[in-house]
Amino acid sequence: MRFSDEAPLSPYGHAMMPARFPAAMLALLLLAAPAARAEPASRPHVSEVRPLALPDGSPGRIELLHGDGFIAADPVRVQVRDRMGRVLAWTPAGVAAALSCPEAARTDACRAFVFGQAPWPTVWVPDSAGYAPDARAPAPVLAGDWAGPFPGFDTQPASIGFRRAGGITDRAWGMVLLVLAFWRAMLLSAGLLAGAAMALHGAALQRARPVLRIGLWVIAAALITLAGFQGMVLVLLIGFPVGLLILLWVLAGLGWLGLRRAA
């Protein structure tokens, strides 16, 4: 949907915003908003638990461990545990992380994508030759609150039992996985920016009244401000790489310019 010379006209002969547009924007915001806000985590916890087969054939798991960022986004690392809950391997902590691991795969078939603030992740592969079982008390095996040791967050900031790997294809796949994990927040950003673009396009129409033009500019500015605020929440409170967010915004802007030129 876009403004055009064929847009509905007001009784005064001026272009009007289609009634479907506000309704579509409202529906989009209601859909995306619940998952776009930060959820406070009062204590560390694990998520994305995936089963895998350890080198000796015993069952294990690979998972994300989220630390406690206090008022900021929680740091996260990827770790491997055995069936007793002992930590065997871990990556350095990052801003965000994603996993790619086939069902019950062997450890070398899994990929861990750990993000800093750059658009692309560091790709890690479990390396059983470097496994170092933690001697402290094992943590709960299932996803939930974490009460176990913190290698990788405290005394062991370097990676243990993981080796760096992956090329451009692996890094691109990690970026896709993270965007999919935040799909509702990404949809909200896209809706806000698309609404601003449509308002600016409507304000540029020759037949728009000055008052209507100013109103559309105000709407566009408000939507851009909301998109910027949502981006700050994503980066500072939820944990999303600022470089990747900027890259997505740039690609969205280039796509919009391409559509305008094509139209």
Side-chain angles (χ1 to χ4, degrees):
M1 177 63 64
R2 64 184 180 89
F3 291 99
S4 68
D5 291 339
E6 291 75 26
L9 301 180
S10 71
Y12 301 97
H14 302 294
M16 299 174 59
M17 182 180 296
R20 293 187 298 273
F21 172 66
M25 285 294 299
L26 178 60
L28 179 62
L29 294 177
L30 291 176
L31 171 66
R37 62 177 183 266
E39 295 183 1
S42 58
R43 57 188 305 177
H45 60 284
V46 296
S47 67
E48 299 294 328
V49 178
R50 310 281 181 83
L52 60 87
L54 297 176
D56 61 1
S58 62
R61 57 191 28 85
I62 187 170
E63 63 196 8
L64 304 184
L65 171 61
H66 305 265
D68 187 357
F70 191 49
I71 61 175
D74 295 337
V76 60
R77 73 164 194 222
V78 182
Q79 64 181 19
V80 174
R81 290 194 284 162
D82 63 14
R83 60 184 173 183
M84 300 298 296
R86 293 179 301 175
V87 180
L88 304 178
W90 56 86
T91 68
V95 172
L99 289 174
S100 176
C101 193
E103 185 70 21
R106 296 190 63 85
T107 55
D108 56 2
C110 297
R111 295 291 185 272
F113 308 97
V114 181
F115 289 81
Q117 294 295 359
W120 50 84
T122 300
V123 184
W124 297 91
V125 178
D127 182 8
S128 58
Y131 283 1
D134 197 283
R136 290 175 284 185
V141 173
L142 300 178
D145 289 340
W146 177 262
F150 280 85
F153 284 130
D154 47 21
T155 60
Q156 300 285 347
S159 64
I160 297 294
F162 277 86
R163 57 181 173 83
R164 295 183 64 165
I168 295 177
T169 302
D170 282 332
R171 290 185 176 186
W173 179 235
M175 294 164 68
V176 170
L177 289 177
L178 192 67
V179 170
L180 291 176
F182 284 83
W183 70 270
R184 288 191 177 181
M186 296 297 99
L187 185 61
L188 177 56
S189 291
L192 292 172
L193 294 176
M198 294 183 70
L200 288 174
H201 185 58
L205 290 178
Q206 295 295 327
R207 291 181 297 180
R209 290 179 300 175
V211 174
L212 177 59
R213 182 178 301 178
I214 293 173
L216 289 172
W217 283 342
V218 170
I219 292 174
L223 291 175
I224 292 173
T225 301
L226 286 174
F229 178 76
Q230 189 230 4
M232 292 178 58
V233 171
L234 274 175
V235 171
L236 298 178
L237 298 182
I238 298 179
F240 193 85
V242 63
L244 181 55
L245 184 62
I246 292 174
L247 176 62
L248 293 173
W249 281 355
V250 170
L251 292 177
L254 293 176
W256 178 68
L257 290 176
L259 291 174
R260 285 201 63 186
R261 292 177 66 90

